[in-house]
Amino acid sequence: MPSVTGMTVDRSLAAPGGPGLAGAPRRGGLAALFVLVLALLTVAASITPAAAARRAGGTVSVQFENKSDRDLTGFAINVPEGCLIPFAPATIAAGTTATWTVGPCQSAYGTRGTIDYTVQGENGATTRIGWDVPFTGPNSYTESAPTGYVIGHTGGTDPQTPVHWTFDCNSKTCDGIPDAWKLNGVTLDPGDGSAAKFIDLPAMGADVNRPDVFVQLDWMAGTAHSHAIDPAAIKKVVDAFKNAPYNKRGQTGTGINLHIDAGPNSIMNFATNTTWGTLSRAKQLTETTNLGTKVNGLYQWDAFTALKNATGGFRSTARGPIFHYAISAHNLESGSRSSGISAGTPGSDLIVSLGSFTNSVGTVDEQAGTLMHELGHNLGLRHSGNSDIPNHEPQYFSVMNYSYQFGLTVGTTKGLLDYSRQNLSLNETALDERVYPPTNPLYDVSHFCPGIDGTVGKFVTIQSSKAAVDWNCDGRISDTEVGVDVNGDGSQTALAGHDDWNALVLRGGAVGHSGADSAGVPAPTLENEATPEDEAMDLPVDVTPPVTTARTSAHPHKDGGHQGEGGHKGEVRVVLTATDDLSGVAMTEYNLDSRGWQTYTGPIVVTGEGKHRLLYRSVDHAQNQETDKYLVLRVDRNSEWHQEPTAEH
């Protein structure tokens, strides 16, 4: 079996006392995994099970149970005495248990060593286990875990009793807030020289049986307007989290408790309408046109951090390890029209900046959607779930998607907020127009239609009640697969889905970590958030069908003779004209004398003696089909044609 024996395989060991100490070099991702596996395979000595049995003294079986919500990835191993049989696994997934054995191999001492595992999504933080199992004397074990986690061991006293390490979150729901804090509150040092602060989490509604996310939302205001977020917008976001399908680690029910402190008069509990009152630390800030600058396309957080760390500001509240910090401002830097920005994915700082939107402060839907969007970045989400491109994916029903940032719709109900509830993919090269994306709830689909109103195109909403999607915008539901660029990025690709709620990272930035993390200036951030121009690309829900009118006129006779009002014997021409109030006409079609529906491309010439019935209708890009209209035309061989009274045309 593969083993590591009597050697040091050390790629990034921290100083004695535990992993993650200042100055420890970091490696991660595929490179770290490759280094670890390569080292384990290349320096490993082989040991047979029989040989291991003969050297039972100084041997113990290891069981490592990862009860947390994060995967652990092998980072560094140091085994100066003995070996691993076989080598420790490169990854210990969340919710699984890994086993291996440590033994003396060729060592006269027994075995001793340490292994570090990186906690995924925790910016290089590691957990370490150590063992000292000599031939003579007692066995001993050590362990350490980063902030937000706990680790301990049992057993391992003799070769017949495995040592069992358990690595876990420090709270029942893995939200980064220790259960003891939720039950009793906590006094924390803000680290800015001001007095320690007591944070009364029980009074704020914290619950050990449900995950809690806290946000302090300061706002700018001036003489012209206030950027205080509308209470109705805050309620929309709180309700979206409350009604989420999120359920982890046996929590009571589903959903997440979202607590937004937007000032003393803001609602803390929407069930009772209790306000934050004296528990609030959120406050009004002086209005500035631009909050920060941009350098080489990257937003600089210096101005934001100056407000955050000002005397009496967010840092002084000592809330950093618990609360996300948000500022509702006017705009970011000069010339910016972005709706907001987040300092990290995951992270704990965010800005809502709607100064370029409706009335310089945004509508309720713009405020709610942007707040939930930027908070989503803090919780680990991107514009396509786990990446920023492609955007505008029709099947990705999330406020992280520009097409749905300012609200999803169901029929005529607008402004619904949600993160994606399932991983739903879409292949642009082979789209079945007869199949509507199977979501629950069944949200309306937004997809790209080129050339609407003479422009490059718009995003059109298709109501779920249509039960089909005209992806290629030709006005028909095709019986065969079609290839279409439905997200408007200029290419046809496979669009991967993403289950947002199941992927949320509740600990990020300073939340769930050291309070000192909340004081520093976040790294410059690429500014690529939705603008009013992006919002304008999305047409409102169109529920009104097109209107088609018919105009009849005589057709010239071959010999130049005329019959009646410019007409001639035996022929008549019908011209159809259609208009639509919003999404535009996709197709007009007609059915002459029950011969079947045909696409209208130009004047219809009706010939042949007798009575003719012409049906006609149009459909718009939102798949609203007009009720059939008709004309009855009589053509006589020896006299002029006649139009009989019909329905409006």
Side-chain angles (χ1 to χ4, degrees):
M1 301 177 69
S3 63
V4 174
T5 176
M7 301 186 71
T8 297
V9 183
D10 187 353
R11 295 293 174 260
S12 181
L13 285 179
L21 298 181
R26 294 178 175 177
R27 297 177 188 263
L30 292 176
L33 178 59
F34 175 79
V35 169
L36 174 65
V37 173
L38 180 63
L40 291 170
L41 291 176
T42 56
V43 306
S46 297
I47 182 169
T48 66
R54 289 194 299 270
R55 303 295 298 273
T59 299
V60 69
S61 296
V62 175
Q63 299 172 350
F64 191 105
E65 183 179 7
N66 181 6
K67 296 180 68 175
S68 79
D69 62 342
R70 302 290 181 89
D71 293 349
L72 303 176
T73 301
F75 183 53
I77 180 171
N78 179 22
V79 187
E81 297 286 353
C83 63
L84 308 182
I85 315 167
F87 56 81
T91 299
I92 306 177
T96 66
T97 299
T99 61
W100 64 89
T101 297
V102 294
C105 297
Q106 308 304 318
S107 170
Y109 173 83
T111 180
R112 60 187 175 88
T114 60
I115 298 178
D116 289 356
Y117 276 96
T118 298
V119 185
Q120 292 302 294
E122 293 288 3
N123 296 320
T126 60
T127 185
R128 170 178 289 185
I129 59 172
W131 64 93
D132 188 342
V133 183
F135 281 121
T136 59
N139 299 341
S140 62
Y141 304 93
T142 58
E143 61 273 325
S144 61
T147 304
Y149 299 89
V150 292
I151 189 171
H153 75 272
T154 59
T157 55
D158 56 72
Q160 288 72 44
T161 306
V163 57
H164 186 105
W165 270 286
T166 300
F167 177 79
D168 202 354
C169 304
N170 67 350
S171 64
K172 180 178 179 180
T173 59
C174 276
D175 58 7
I177 307 173
D179 291 342
W181 294 11
K182 292 188 178 187
L183 291 170
N184 308 309
V186 61
T187 299
L188 297 176
D189 181 357
D192 64 350
S194 62
K197 305 297 191 303
F198 177 69
I199 303 172
D200 195 348
L201 290 174
M204 296 175 185
D207 187 345
V208 295
N209 294 310
R210 285 169 64 85
D212 291 286
V213 173
F214 286 88
V215 179
Q216 178 172 318
L217 178 58
D218 290 353
W219 68 97
M220 289 187 172
T223 56
H225 52 254
S226 171
H227 291 285
I229 301 295
D230 192 296
I234 293 175
K235 185 177 188 303
K236 279 194 168 195
V237 183
V238 170
D239 286 347
F241 277 73
K242 175 184 176 182
N243 298 324
Y246 188 94
N247 184 283
K248 296 287 184 71
R249 297 168 57 89
Q251 71 180 64
T252 301
T254 58
I256 297 172
N257 295 329
L258 176 62
H259 315 264
I260 300 180
D261 174 9
N265 296 323
S266 63
I267 303 297
M268 183 173 66
N269 185 330
F270 283 95
T272 62
N273 285 327
T274 304
T275 61
W276 280 82
T278 58
L279 293 171
S280 173
R281 297 295 179 267
K283 62 181 183 178
Q284 177 178 314
L285 304 174
T286 302
E287 171 91 349
T288 59
T289 303
N290 303 305
L291 179 58
T293 58
K294 183 163 65 175
V295 178
N296 297 326
L298 299 177
Y299 177 74
Q300 309 295 308
W301 289 86
D302 303 76
F304 174 94
T305 305
L307 291 173
K308 178 180 175 181
N309 292 344
T311 302
F314 177 75
R315 186 182 181 192
S316 296
T317 69
R319 287 173 158 187
I322 303 168
F323 280 72
H324 295 259
Y325 181 54
I327 294 178
S328 180
H330 190 82
N331 279 336
L332 299 180
E333 77 288 336
S334 177
S336 171
R337 293 169 63 80
S338 294
S339 54
I341 198 166
S342 164
T345 306
S348 55
D349 293 327
L350 66 96
I351 300 172
V352 173
S353 51
L354 296 171
S356 296
F357 287 74
T358 307
N359 297 324
S360 298
V361 297
T363 64
V364 167
D365 287 344
E366 288 168 340
Q367 291 178 2
T370 301
L371 177 58
M372 187 164 170
H373 179 101
E374 299 306 335
L375 181 57
H377 283 311
N378 275 16
L379 299 177
L381 301 178
R382 298 184 181 275
H383 296 146
S384 183
N386 57 1
S387 65
D388 280 329
I389 53 174
N391 207 325
H392 292 287
E393 294 178 282
Q395 86 293 352
Y396 177 47
F397 297 100
S398 173
V399 296
M400 303 308 298
N401 181 348
Y402 281 8
S403 291
Y404 306 121
Q405 175 172 331
F406 304 112
L408 297 115
T409 65
V410 175
T412 56
T413 303
K414 301 183 296 181
L416 301 172
L417 300 185
D418 210 346
Y419 296 133
S420 175
R421 293 169 175 249
Q422 64 193 100
N423 188 335
L424 185 65
S425 61
L426 200 65
N427 186 354
E428 290 181 306
T429 65
L431 297 165
D432 188 342
E433 296 191 324
R434 298 164 296 181
V435 177
Y436 195 89
T439 60
N440 184 17
L442 200 60
Y443 289 120
D444 298 339
V445 166
S446 172
H447 74 101
F448 184 74
C449 277
I452 293 178
D453 297 331
T455 67
V456 294
K458 296 281 188 179
F459 289 91
V460 176
T461 298
I462 306 302
Q463 294 177 288
S464 58
S465 59
K466 306 297 184 184
V469 183
D470 175 22
W471 293 115
N472 63 6
C473 307
D474 67 354
R476 298 183 183 277
I477 300 301
S478 176
D479 291 333
T480 59
E481 290 182 341
V482 298
V484 188
D485 172 22
V486 295
N487 71 323
D489 65 355
S491 62
Q492 294 181 22
T493 58
L495 305 178
H498 191 260
D499 182 352
D500 287 356
W501 286 112
N502 193 50
L504 289 189
V505 177
L506 301 186
R507 301 176 308 282
V511 173
H513 301 93
S514 169
D517 293 340
S518 66
V521 179
T525 306
L526 179 65
E527 186 183 329
N528 63 339
E529 297 298 78
T531 65
E533 291 71 29
D534 291 311
E535 184 181 18
M537 288 290 291
D538 298 295
L539 292 175
V541 178
D542 185 354
V543 298
T544 305
V547 176
T548 308
T549 58
R551 179 172 56 87
T552 57
S553 63
H555 199 290
H557 194 271
K558 293 179 181 178
D559 60 8
H562 295 277
Q563 183 72 23
E565 190 178 2
H568 74 95
K569 298 177 182 179
E571 293 183 356
V572 61
R573 183 172 63 178
V574 181
V575 176
L576 302 179
T577 304
T579 59
D580 186 72
D581 66 337
L582 188 57
S583 62
V585 177
M587 177 195 63
T588 298
E589 58 183 352
Y590 67 93
N591 185 348
L592 179 61
D593 296 333
S594 300
R595 297 173 189 170
W597 289 97
Q598 299 182 56
T599 302
Y600 177 79
T601 58
I604 305 163
V605 178
V606 181
T607 62
E609 186 175 11
K611 183 185 293 186
H612 300 272
R613 182 180 176 88
L614 178 68
L615 299 176
Y616 57 94
R617 66 193 181 195
S618 295
V619 59
D620 63 20
H621 288 106
Q623 298 176 209
N624 299 304
Q625 182 172 289
E626 181 182 21
T627 302
D628 295 356
K629 294 180 178 179
Y630 70 94
L631 287 175
V632 176
L633 306 169
R634 184 182 297 277
V635 178
D636 295 328
R637 177 173 299 178
N638 298 315
S639 64
E640 67 182 42
W641 63 269
H642 300 277
Q643 177 182 319
E644 297 187 358
T646 65
E648 179 183 356
H649 62 278

